[in-house]
Amino acid sequence: MRILAGFLGIMILAIQYPLWLGKGGWLRVWDVDRQVVAQGQKNERLDVRNGALAAEVTDLKQGSEAIEERARYELGMVKGDEVFFQVPARK
C-alpha cells in the first residue's frame, strides 16, 4: 500500500510540474498577462499622442494660421510690416 501511495504521490507531482512550470503553465500565463497589460498602457499613451499629431496635421492642411504660428515660434519669422524686439532674459 505504501508503494502505491508513493507512486501516486510521484504521479501527482509529475502532473503538477507542467501545469506550473511548463511552456503553457500558470507562471508563463501570468507573465504574458502582465506583458499584455503593460503593452495596453503603452498603446493608450501612443493613441493619445497620435491623436494630437493627427489634429496638428489636419490643422496644418486646412488653415494658414497654424503654419504662421509655427513659422513665428519655431523659425523666428515676422511679417513684412512688423517690428521684432528681443528682450534678453535676466539671470
Side-chain angles (χ1 to χ4, degrees):
M1 192 65 167
R2 276 194 226 174
I3 295 174
L4 181 61
F7 177 73
L8 290 175
I10 291 173
M11 291 305 294
I12 288 173
L13 290 176
I15 291 172
Q16 289 292 313
Y17 176 79
L19 177 66
W20 290 99
L21 303 173
K23 186 175 182 178
W26 283 109
L27 296 177
R28 176 75 177 133
V29 169
W30 289 333
D31 184 46
V32 170
D33 187 45
R34 183 189 53 79
Q35 291 175 1
V36 166
V37 169
Q39 187 64 45
Q41 292 170 348
K42 184 177 179 182
N43 288 349
E44 288 175 9
R45 288 191 307 270
L46 291 175
D47 283 342
V48 170
R49 186 195 72 172
N50 288 346
L53 288 174
E56 187 175 346
V57 166
T58 302
D59 193 29
L60 287 171
K61 284 182 178 180
Q62 290 180 352
S64 62
E65 291 175 8
I67 296 171
E68 182 179 335
E69 180 183 350
R70 278 189 167 240
R72 287 178 177 273
Y73 290 108
E74 292 181 8
L75 303 175
M77 300 179 94
V78 294
K79 290 183 179 179
D81 59 345
E82 293 179 334
V83 178
F84 177 71
F85 293 97
Q86 183 173 8
V87 180
R90 291 189 176 184
K91 293 183 181 180

